[in-house]
Amino acid sequence: MQVILKNGRAITIRLKTSNDGEALGEMLENCSERTYHFFHPYPLTRESGLKVAADEKNISFIAFADDGAAVGYILIGREGDVPTLGICVRDGWQGLGVGRALMERVIAEAKTVGKKGIQLTVMKDNARGIALYQSVGFVIDGDAPDPVGPSYHMTLRFM
């Protein structure tokens, strides 16, 4: 699936394969401290990219730039009626629509495979993330425990 971003550049979003580990690892290794702050507690390393690519317990989509670089990914668990979502967008690509495109793709897939909704945890100081999640239908259910800082639990329920 090709998506045109706010800056006019195109990205391609597709299901991840086990061969995507190096591209994911390179993206994660190049994330800033700020991105890591919002993405914790998951390590932003080459090894974690390889693990995500090899993990069959999740449904994962990756966004690629036209030069083949991974610019974002999203995942939900295969188990449970309301799986947990994780998303990371590469620095320099945030705010352009990559996150929204990934969210829309994983929401459509979750509905297709019969999920009843999706849940996530977001830090309260991640205003951009909260705005994105609310714009696609997530609601704040309350506070979520997080040793790094105050966080919300959010849920998107499907009808």
Side-chain angles (χ1 to χ4, degrees), residues 21-121:
E22 290 294 337
L24 278 175
E26 186 276 331
M27 181 192 94
L28 294 174
E29 285 183 326
N30 287 290
C31 287
S32 66
E33 286 296 318
R34 179 179 177 276
T35 297
Y36 176 73
H37 171 75
F38 292 136
F39 194 67
H40 76 279
Y42 308 103
L44 298 180
T45 63
R46 177 182 173 276
E47 291 76 24
S48 61
L50 293 170
K51 279 184 176 179
V52 168
D55 188 354
E56 293 301 321
K57 294 179 185 172
N58 293 314
I59 300 169
S60 305
F61 292 92
I62 304 175
F64 289 95
D66 52 9
D67 64 0
V71 297
Y73 83 96
I74 194 165
L75 59 83
I76 58 170
R78 291 187 187 279
E79 302 297 320
D81 289 336
V82 184
T84 300
L85 177 142
I87 184 171
C88 185
V89 176
R90 185 183 205 120
D91 294 294
W93 291 82
Q94 297 169 7
L96 299 176
V98 175
R100 175 172 303 283
L102 287 166
M103 292 291 296
E104 290 171 354
R105 184 64 191 96
V106 85
I107 289 167
E109 183 69 13
K111 289 177 179 179
T112 298
V113 299
K115 300 297 180 188
K116 294 182 179 177
I118 301 171
Q119 61 184 326
L120 59 83
T121 300

